[in-house]
Amino acid sequence: MTNLFLDALAGKTGSRPPFWFMRQAGRYLPEYREIRAQANGFLDLCYTPDRAARVTLQPIERFQADAAILFSDILVIPHAMGQTVDFVEGTGPKLDPIQTTQDLLALDPGKILEKLAPVFETVRLARAELPDEVALIGFSGAPWTVATYMIEGGSTRDFNTVKSWAISNRQEFAIMLDLLVESTAMYLKAQIDAGAQALQIFDTWASAVPASDFGDWVINPTARIVSAVKEHAPEVPIIGFARGIGSRLPDYIRGTGIDAVGLDSSISLVEAANDIQPICPVQGNLDPAYLLSGGAEMERAVTDVLEALSGGPFVFNLAHGINKETPPAHVERLAEIVKNWDSSA
Ligand code: 1CP
């Protein structure tokens, strides 16, 4: 059975590019909001396998993407290590921030596989329901991005707390990254064992890392996760998505050992085709604002991406997650354009 998505990650160029969208499950879909309303909060939804699996499958039923992504969140890792994590309606995640060495040493990666068992069950249920030609993607956050939430206690604009903590407590921050490398590698391996056929590692806030720390905070921790996962399952491709890192992409790709790279919309199509695609398969990079806007502007922008990148190994995606105000009809139109694209024309 051919799977366009796994073929593209293996470096092949097919009859048309495969596609999926970051945050393809979520609040822009009425069927998601309905299940979300039945759950007792967001984490409860992540830990209720039959519901989480239904949410994983919803976008596939609606627009037949070539890959489904496990419905969960990057913050289940700190939660499973014992940190208090809450998702507050309308304001995003809230964590009891790690401030002292004592807070750090209280984190326990020892029971995460037990605590995250419902997530692995979600993977099993979703895989069992999906047709063979649709791949199931597992995911995690990268250590740096997860650490920003653990130390800031939630979302941040300036990253001042996490950066100054990491700089003034280098040894402790290295221990924190080690804990995240260890727990994330275990978590991703267990997702593979449950049925995930590809993985994406989200380093959403990589652009906040000073160039002088990029090796220690971004490349090295991700490389250690990639090598641990590869030792366990060399056949499972890993996509790295380090948002906003621009000229550091080649170092990130080569230094981490990822199989394919997600591109944000700061990367021009010329750079993507000439500088990145010769190194590895690329995924991206329609800005979600075009999808939100829809119409002729969206159609032109989608065609530009397809023309620039579909001649080589390529997975069509957005540059970041779907905005929650996006009309589902725009997403359906986008899916139709990609499905009708002929890469050989
Ligand atoms: O109440 C709700 O429904 C909450 C909204 C929501 C959703 C739908 C959150 C809270 N997480 C998710 C699901 C989710 N998160 C997925 C599921 C699969 C899919 O893509 O369809 C994935 C892959 C994530 C990953 C995630 N969570 C990232 C990395 C990707 C990205 O978007 O940059 C990050 C940074 C988070 C943290 C997070 N989770 C939720 C919120 C509101 C946030 C904060 C985002 C921020 O700080 O801006």
Side-chain angles (χ1 to χ4, degrees), residues 228-312:
V229 172
K230 293 273 173 205
E231 207 169 292
H232 181 72
E235 73 288 0
V236 174
I238 303 176
I239 306 164
F241 176 60
R243 204 160 64 98
I245 65 169
S247 61
R248 293 203 274 276
L249 277 166
D251 282 349
Y252 170 75
I253 298 163
R254 294 194 176 98
T256 56
I258 53 173
D259 300 283
V261 73
L263 302 178
D264 64 69
S265 58
S266 71
I267 307 302
S268 76
L269 295 174
V270 171
E271 288 170 304
N274 293 349
D275 305 341
I276 312 299
Q277 209 172 24
I279 310 177
C280 71
V282 296
Q283 173 177 282
N285 74 341
L286 181 76
D287 196 286
Y290 278 91
L291 181 58
L292 177 63
S293 307
E297 282 285 349
M298 175 184 90
E299 304 210 358
R300 183 190 53 75
V302 174
T303 306
D304 287 348
V305 172
L306 289 165
E307 275 174 357
L309 299 174
S310 68

Side-chain angles (χ1 to χ4, degrees), residues 13-17 306-307 309-312 314 338-345:
T13 307
S15 51
R16 66 153 172 95
L306 289 165
E307 275 174 357
L309 299 174
S310 68
F314 171 54
V338 183
K339 274 186 278 194
N340 290 328
W341 187 259
D342 180 355
S343 295
S344 62

Side-chain angles (χ1 to χ4, degrees), residues 23-25 32 36 42 69 72-74 149 155 202 204 320:
R23 290 279 170 102
Q24 64 188 12
Y32 170 80
R36 174 76 173 78
F42 177 72
I69 182 161
S72 178
D73 195 79
I74 63 169
Y149 291 94
S155 304
F202 289 88
T204 302
H320 196 200

Side-chain angles (χ1 to χ4, degrees), residues 21-29 32 55-56 58-59 69 71:
F21 307 124
M22 288 189 273
R23 290 279 170 102
Q24 64 188 12
R27 282 174 292 184
Y28 75 102
L29 287 177
Y32 170 80
V55 169
T56 302
Q58 283 174 343
I69 182 161
F71 189 83

